[in-house]
Amino acid sequence: MSVVLRGITWEHARGYGSVASAAVASRAVVPDVEVRWEHRSLQAFADQSLEELVRAYDLLVIDHPHIPHAAEAGLFARLDGTGHDDELAVLATQSVGRSHASYAHAGGQWGLATDAAAQVAAYRPDLLADPPRDWPGVLALAEEGRVLWPYKPVDAYSSLITVAAGNGEDALRTPGVFLSRAALGEAMETLRALARAVPAECAGWNPIQTADALSQGDRFCYAPLLFGYTNYSRAGFRPHRLRYIDIPASRRGVHGSLLGGAGVAVSARTAHAAEAIAHAFWLASAEVQAGAYFDGGGQPGNAVAWDDEHTNAETLDFFRATRATLEGAYLRPRWTSYIEVQNALSPLVTAALCGDLDDDELCARLDAGVRAHEEDR
């Protein structure tokens, strides 16, 4: 009798096409197990209740900041000690930056990195022969009216962390402090200059909307900070292809971009734990990541796929051209309530960029939000 596994991912070719393609391929390997994937919106991917999802699905594609809460609340099945430790050891050696480690918590492994991402830069090679490689160059191009930058709350928050880290200070590393006043002021000076030079609607845009705009007209040619999507580098996805490259260099080079990506986890409520765990490891394996997963539109999380000739040839060298940024990426705090903190603080950064808060007010309110979280723990 066949086993049917239900999975949930997010609504995009990168999120859904990848796992759906791999599910078809898996039937040739494990014919008695069928994996049926469904998708939810990108916003729901970020904030929908995991308690609700684990009751309905066997497999979940999730964002790594959810791992500490999911592990301590008993929502996800532990993946180490399940007969796959040799595979787990191999995956640890095939991590892109700290992606693999971002799904570990309290000595256990609660997810596997199937998608690696961080904020990177993108440009139109048919419109711009020599993209800027540092912030003075970015701002000069922005003054010409040719730059886009998504800064809706979560993206503005991510950009503040990325720019500050590049300048030399990692956010949320000192108790009660988001960033020192000096570090926040320096990063906000760069971001305010950028916000003044891009279209006002960028305050409500996410990376997908920005990549869509960049790839479909001829006015804009570059974006300095947005989460990468290989789909826009592939022929035929949009009228024009984007080439992704490392973030603009700061004092620490291309260091400090906020690490994103996604991983596959197994519900602790599943009635088919053995089959679901086996599929998760299969999905994260190098061969599948560089093959069916990528071919379905996915952005692999396995470093073997990032080094692969085929994946790079199909994406204008996306993986090689952004690898340094991923290797130096910033890992968010491993707090069980981290997502709540991020959701609460992110709108403040966009508000400041829109002129509703000055840097003193922003600094005070970010620090207050961090302290409130610490008092609640």
Side-chain angles (χ1 to χ4, degrees), residues 14 18-19 21-22 114-115 283 288-289 291-300:
R14 173 178 154 195
S18 56
V19 293
S21 171
T114 50
D115 179 297
L283 190 64
V288 175
Q289 288 270 292
Y293 186 91
F294 171 80
D295 291 338
Q299 185 165 300

Side-chain angles (χ1 to χ4, degrees), residues 34 67 77 146-147 149 192 201 220 222 234 311 325 333 362:
E34 179 183 359
I67 288 293
R146 305 182 69 197
V147 171
W149 167 53
R192 286 183 197 281
E201 55 262 40
F220 301 104
Y222 176 82
R234 305 186 193 206
T311 61
T325 295
L362 176 63

